[in-house]
Amino acid sequence: AQSVTQLGSHVSVSEGALVLLRCNYSSSVPPYLFWYVQYPNQGLQLLLKYTSAATLVKGINGFEAEFKKSETSFHLTKPSAHMSDAAEYFCAVSESQKVTFGTGTKLQVIP
Amino acid sequence: NAGVTQTPKFQVLKTGQSMTLQCAQDMNHEYMSWYRQDPGMGLRLIHYSVGAGITDQGEVPNGYNVSRSTTEDFPLRLLSAAPSQTSVYFCASRPGQGNEKLFFGSGTQLSVL
């Protein structure tokens, strides 16, 4: 069965610092992997997705993620955090007809 | 283009009451799903549907029923509400393929007293 593990339920970074949100997955087949962002009192929006093309995936708002099969990881990064990046981030894996989400990481950006 | 529309946005129920959460999408998506979101637990799949007339269970289906009589609508029914069903519920849809993103509704905040 597929699963997703997000390390760190809360991450704090200073404005302008590197953002690194960790995601590890397990899947019995080559996975489709996603990162979604949730702003307060809203639904989830897609940041980026990996679908077996390039291993480095670029998304919206300057975020990117690298698929590493050997490490079963799909970590999300952004070189320089903005205040507007404060939100909750979810990693997800899609296999068969089910999409499984991680438990989420709340990102705090400190001025 | 309205996307995925959920109603109501807020609901308070008493233990034992029943209700239906509505979800409609206008994108002709084959796939629709219901999630519940609880603090520290992320989103957990309740039920999903790959097309009209086809539904299946997700991770946490107990206490919930669904049906899919049309492509557009996928209502979620709580048969006898329990406090453990207090949560935020999201409906999501996508085209049929698993490599496509999910489109989410704005959520229903449900409290069961």
Side-chain angles (χ1 to χ4, degrees), chain B:
Chain B
N1 194 346
V4 179
T5 303
Q6 287 184 238
T7 56
K9 291 189 181 299
F10 302 95
Q11 183 70 49
V12 179
L13 293 177
K14 294 181 179 179
T15 297
Q17 287 184 315
S18 63
M19 79 159 295
T20 300
L21 307 185
Q22 301 291 345
C23 176
Q25 53 90 11
D26 61 0
M27 297 171 282
N28 201 33
H29 285 169
E30 295 177 7
Y31 182 93
M32 297 186 74
S33 55
W34 278 102
Y35 288 87
R36 59 177 289 173
Q37 183 177 21
D38 301 291
M41 304 189 75
L43 281 79
R44 292 180 291 169
L45 181 64
I46 304 171
H47 286 285
Y48 65 97
S49 169
V50 299
I54 306 169
T55 63
D56 206 346
Q57 296 181 350
E59 181 184 0
V60 288
N62 292 342
Y64 306 96
N65 273 1
V66 292
S67 59
R68 185 93 179 271
S69 56
T70 67
T71 299
E72 294 78 19
D73 300 298
F74 190 46
L76 179 72
R77 297 182 184 85
L78 280 69
L79 307 174
S80 177
S84 61
Q85 294 178 304
T86 294
S87 187
V88 180
Y89 291 84
F90 286 99
C91 179
S93 72
R94 70 170 191 222
Q97 299 304 312
N99 61 346
E100 297 290 341
K101 72 175 184 179
L102 287 168
F103 291 76
F104 282 84
S106 57
T108 295
Q109 189 168 327
L110 175 67
S111 295
V112 183
L113 306 178

Side-chain angles (χ1 to χ4, degrees), chain A residues 9 32-34 36 38 41-46 49-51 88 90 92 94-104 106, chain B residues 31 35 37 40-45 48 50 56-59 90 94 96-107 109:
Chain A
S9 58
Y32 300 128
L33 295 163
F34 303 81
Y36 288 86
Q38 184 180 34
N41 301 313
Q42 295 186 24
L44 278 69
Q45 307 170 36
L46 181 72
K49 68 177 181 179
Y50 167 77
T51 58
E88 190 160 18
F90 292 92
S94 177
E95 182 183 347
S96 298
Q97 300 294 351
K98 297 183 181 180
V99 180
T100 301
F101 286 83
T103 52
K106 285 188 177 178
Chain B
Y31 182 93
Y35 288 87
Q37 183 177 21
M41 304 189 75
L43 281 79
R44 292 180 291 169
L45 181 64
Y48 65 97
V50 299
D56 206 346
Q57 296 181 350
E59 181 184 0
F90 286 99
R94 70 170 191 222
Q97 299 304 312
N99 61 346
E100 297 290 341
K101 72 175 184 179
L102 287 168
F103 291 76
F104 282 84
S106 57
Q109 189 168 327

Side-chain angles (χ1 to χ4, degrees), chain A residues 70-91:
Chain A
S70 61
E71 298 177 8
T72 60
S73 69
F74 191 55
H75 301 330
L76 182 71
T77 60
K78 181 173 180 178
S80 177
H82 294 169
M83 295 299 296
S84 59
D85 294 328
E88 190 160 18
Y89 294 80
F90 292 92
C91 184

Side-chain angles (χ1 to χ4, degrees), chain A residues 51-73:
Chain A
T51 58
S52 76
T55 56
L56 183 62
V57 181
K58 295 186 183 299
I60 62 171
N61 300 337
F63 284 93
E64 62 182 36
E66 185 172 9
F67 172 71
K68 291 187 176 180
K69 184 177 179 180
S70 61
E71 298 177 8
T72 60
S73 69

